[in-house]
Amino acid sequence: MTDAAAEVIVRQAVEADSAALIELERTAFDSRSGFPSFRTAVRESFFTERCQPEHVLVAVDGDELIGFARLTDKYTFVEGAGVLVVGGLAVAPSARRRGVGSALLTAIEAEGRRRGARKISLNVFGVNAEAQRLYARHGYVVEARQTAEFTIDGELMNDLGLALFL
């Protein structure tokens, strides 16, 4: 870890983080990592009925919000209890290569264990090799491949389902 990574703190989001989270979501993703329609959507709040501040981990460096991860129950019914889903993980372009993604994934795993989860799932575009390498370093394995799942910028995009078994 570099000294810069040591400055990163991961904490639970608060309502006051909403505007910074919207801006981060808008700027952190590109067509290889996120949906253009999500980046351009106009929203008053980052938080939704299903994803409240307690479902979001944020990485901060001082007063600057530099990353986030949504972590919610994957299923709303009892048979799916114990499976969490990362519904987005983002790192500000200016904060990349500082261990922010790793800090968020470590916090996700700790939160999953704290909540008694047996599995954490996430999806990543097939073209996003850098993110796939990061997830693999943290123990995520490919569970599913969906071919030509999305059309982004006129190109068919494959989607990979990854999981970390706790």
Side-chain angles (χ1 to χ4, degrees):
M1 291 263 190
T2 66
D3 290 337
E7 299 169 6
V8 175
I9 295 170
V10 177
R11 63 166 172 78
Q12 185 176 313
V14 295
E15 192 69 42
D17 293 325
S18 181
L21 286 164
I22 290 171
E23 180 62 15
L24 180 57
E25 187 170 53
R26 190 183 68 71
T27 59
F29 294 111
D30 60 26
S31 295
R32 297 175 59 80
S33 60
F35 298 107
S37 60
F38 287 14
R39 291 194 316 269
T40 59
V42 176
R43 297 179 297 173
E44 290 184 25
S45 177
F46 180 83
F47 305 108
T48 65
E49 184 177 323
R50 186 164 191 269
C51 184
Q52 294 294 309
E54 60 267 20
H55 302 122
V56 179
L57 298 169
V58 295
V60 295
D61 182 359
D63 293 333
E64 184 183 9
L65 197 146
I66 57 174
F68 75 82
R70 290 184 192 93
L71 185 63
T72 59
D73 291 322
K74 185 170 185 178
Y75 303 105
T76 59
F77 48 89
V78 69
E79 293 85 356
V83 180
L84 302 177
V85 65
V86 177
L89 186 149
V91 175
S94 63
R96 292 186 180 154
R97 306 245 183 266
R98 291 182 37 202
V100 177
S102 284
L104 285 164
L105 287 170
T106 298
I108 287 167
E109 181 178 351
E111 179 63 11
R113 289 184 188 284
R114 186 190 72 76
R115 290 172 56 181
R118 69 176 176 277
K119 176 178 166 181
I120 299 172
S121 297
L122 61 83
N123 287 71
V124 62
F125 291 154
V127 296
N128 194 343
E130 186 174 359
Q132 290 173 51
R133 285 190 297 274
L134 173 66
Y135 296 135
R137 284 195 306 271
H138 283 268
Y140 287 78
V141 296
V142 175
E143 273 198 311
R145 295 178 192 274
Q146 293 90 25
T147 303
E149 189 75 1
F150 305 108
T151 303
I152 298 179
D153 294 341
E155 293 184 43
L156 293 176
M157 190 77 61
N158 297 336
D159 195 43
L160 300 177
L162 305 181
L164 175 67
F165 295 90
L166 302 177

